[in-house]
């Protein structure tokens, strides 16, 4: 109550500052990873996106629906809470963390990378529109950098239409499966943290993970078998069928690729780029064809 000169706690200011910094860093990450993306040339159809991208689109669709309801009810505090949680949990702690490998080490035009850039573009565009009524200048500035790579432009977020989540495809079934993978990822992270504390690994990519699963988990993990290393951010994942669910993490004995930091069976010579994994060799050939 300002009329009675009641002081506001420093903790409140610190919390607001940290929340804003986290949100701004989220926007910067997304804008920064669209530097070579042209939506008219590189966009991937939603139905052709990878599972993790469909998952984040489903989460964004829910966010748009919830924020729209909150705005219509004048519950602005709830909008802030929803967006803050979405940015810190769904985006930063999960989606962005998983995406770094493909965004930074895949070939520029590989379908997996363009799929994620398409998803990021859609998420960012929607997120800025949701933020516009409560964070006017930041949303406008971010849109300007997203479109024109400058602080101020003729385009304004406040002239844009509200996001129409009803037009997006329904990925609820796939999103539910990915949610289950995320729960398993939490169990994997617990074991990886124990390896870090005991100094057996430096980072998660130094690890090998073996999952023993019951019938339902086994079928789910087998379905996503080719994506598990990316989801768990480790170099090796093995799935075994068993009576109970268990996670075993240990240091990988494979060679480390200096470009992707992933452990691989062997390294190959990439000229001036040194010894790299076969996947990185393909990515380098795509990006620097004149070198090969």
């Amino acid at each position: 109550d300002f009329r009675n000169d009641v002081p506001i706690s420093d903790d409140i200011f610190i919390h607001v500052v940290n929340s804003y910094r986290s949100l701004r860093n989220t926007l910067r990450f997304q804008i920064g990873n669209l530097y070579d993306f042209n939506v008219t040339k590189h966009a991937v159809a939603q139905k052709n996106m990878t599972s993790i991208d469909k998952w984040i689109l489903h989460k964004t669709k829910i966010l748009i629906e919830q924020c729209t309801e909150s705005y219509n009810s004048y519950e602005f505090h709830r909008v802030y809470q929803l967006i803050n949680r979405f940015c810190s949990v769904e985006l930063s702690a999960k989606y962005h963390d998983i995406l770094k490998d493909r965004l930074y080490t895949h070939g520029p035009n590989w379908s997996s990378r363009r799929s994620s850039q398409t998803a990021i573009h859609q998420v960012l565009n929607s997120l800025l529109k949701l933020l516009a009524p409560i964070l006017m200048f930041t949303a406008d500035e971010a849109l300007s950098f997203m479109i024109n790579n400058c602080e101020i432009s003729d385009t304004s977020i406040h002239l844009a239409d509200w996001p129409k989540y009803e037009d997006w495809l329904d990925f609820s079934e796939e999103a539910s499966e990915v949610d289950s993978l995320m729960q398993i990822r939490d169990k994997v992270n617990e074991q990886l943290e124990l390896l870090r504390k005991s100094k057996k690994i430096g980072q998660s990519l130094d690890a090998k993970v073996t999952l023993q699963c019951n019938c339902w988990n086994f079928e789910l993990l087998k379905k996503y078998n080719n994506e598990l290393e990316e989801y768990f951010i480790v170099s090796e994942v093995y799935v075994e069928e068993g009576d109970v669910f268990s996670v075993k993490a240990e240091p990988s004995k494979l060679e480390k690729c200096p470009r992707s930091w992933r452990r691989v069976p062997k390294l190959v010579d990439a000229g001036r780029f040194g010894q790299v994994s076969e996947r990185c060799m393909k990515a380098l050939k795509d990006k620097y064809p004149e070198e090969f």
Side-chain angles (χ1 to χ4, degrees), residues 9-281:
S9 168
D10 288 344
D11 291 340
I12 295 177
F13 282 112
I14 292 172
H15 177 73
V16 172
V17 168
N18 288 339
S19 295
Y20 178 72
R21 182 184 294 114
S22 175
L23 172 61
R24 193 173 179 84
N25 287 340
T26 297
L27 299 179
R28 289 180 63 186
F29 177 90
Q30 296 198 328
I31 294 170
N33 280 289
L34 295 176
Y35 75 95
D36 64 341
F37 179 77
N38 185 317
V39 69
T40 59
K41 295 180 180 179
H42 304 131
V44 175
Q46 285 190 356
K47 64 180 180 180
N48 296 327
M49 287 183 177
T50 61
S51 60
I52 189 66
D53 298 319
K54 291 178 180 179
W55 174 79
I56 199 59
L57 288 184
H58 178 75
K59 296 297 183 181
T60 304
K61 185 176 181 179
I62 294 174
L63 177 71
I64 296 171
E65 184 177 9
Q66 293 176 333
C67 285
T68 301
E69 292 175 354
S70 297
Y71 273 125
N72 289 336
S73 302
Y74 300 98
E75 296 179 302
F76 304 120
H77 66 284
R78 185 166 181 262
V79 174
Y80 156 74
Q81 292 168 352
L82 289 167
I83 293 177
N84 185 53
R85 185 187 184 284
F86 178 77
C87 289
S88 61
V89 179
E90 268 76 17
L91 288 180
S92 296
K94 295 179 181 178
Y95 185 62
H96 290 171
D97 202 29
I98 292 170
L99 247 57
K100 288 175 183 176
D101 178 63
R102 67 168 65 174
L103 289 175
Y104 300 157
T105 70
H106 284 200
N109 291 305
W110 287 10
S111 59
S112 55
R113 185 170 182 272
R114 292 305 188 193
S115 171
S116 293
Q117 286 182 311
T118 304
I120 287 174
H121 187 275
Q122 290 184 243
V123 172
L124 178 59
N125 190 45
S126 300
L127 189 57
L128 293 180
K129 292 175 181 179
L130 296 178
L131 284 169
I134 59 174
L135 213 57
M136 298 173 288
F137 299 112
T138 299
D140 218 24
E141 177 190 10
L143 180 72
S144 183
F145 273 104
M146 174 186 175
I147 297 176
N148 299 310
N149 195 30
C150 60
E151 187 174 352
I152 301 174
S153 66
D154 296 333
T155 305
S156 175
I157 190 68
H158 305 294
L159 299 177
D161 293 330
W162 197 248
K164 296 181 179 179
Y165 61 89
E166 299 92 342
D167 297 338
W168 294 16
L169 297 180
D170 180 19
F171 297 125
S172 55
E173 183 175 342
E174 288 170 280
S176 177
E177 292 178 341
V178 174
D179 279 334
S180 297
L181 291 178
M182 292 297 184
Q183 293 176 5
I184 296 174
R185 181 175 182 261
D186 290 339
K187 300 293 184 183
V188 171
N189 284 339
E190 291 176 4
Q191 297 303 311
L192 295 177
E193 187 59 29
L194 293 177
L195 287 182
R196 284 195 201 92
K197 288 182 177 180
S198 62
K199 301 188 184 301
K200 292 181 179 179
I201 63 170
Q203 58 178 344
S204 61
L205 287 172
D206 292 330
K208 164 187 172 182
V209 170
T210 303
L211 300 168
Q212 189 176 81
C213 314
N214 53 31
C215 182
W216 183 85
N217 283 329
F218 181 76
E219 294 301 321
L220 174 70
L221 291 168
K222 277 298 182 182
K223 179 178 179 179
Y224 289 89
N225 187 57
N226 294 332
E227 303 171 59
L228 295 180
E229 291 174 1
E230 184 178 41
Y231 273 102
F232 302 154
I233 317 181
V234 296
S235 291
E236 299 178 79
V237 178
Y238 300 95
V239 179
E240 302 173 353
E241 193 169 11
D243 297 328
V244 295
F245 177 81
S246 65
V247 179
K248 179 183 178 182
E250 56 189 319
S252 173
K253 297 180 180 179
L254 302 181
E255 296 187 76
K256 184 175 183 178
C257 171
R259 181 174 180 271
S260 67
W261 295 1
R262 303 185 77 85
R263 300 279 177 168
V264 295
K266 68 174 182 177
L267 300 177
V268 295
D269 182 35
R272 72 179 179 90
F273 300 103
Q275 298 283 314
V276 298
S277 67
E278 292 182 339
R279 191 190 74 176
C280 282
M281 170 68 102

Side-chain angles (χ1 to χ4, degrees), residues 1-9 12-13:
D1 188 344
F2 293 102
R3 292 171 299 178
N4 295 328
D5 296 324
V6 177
I8 299 176
S9 168
I12 295 177
F13 282 112

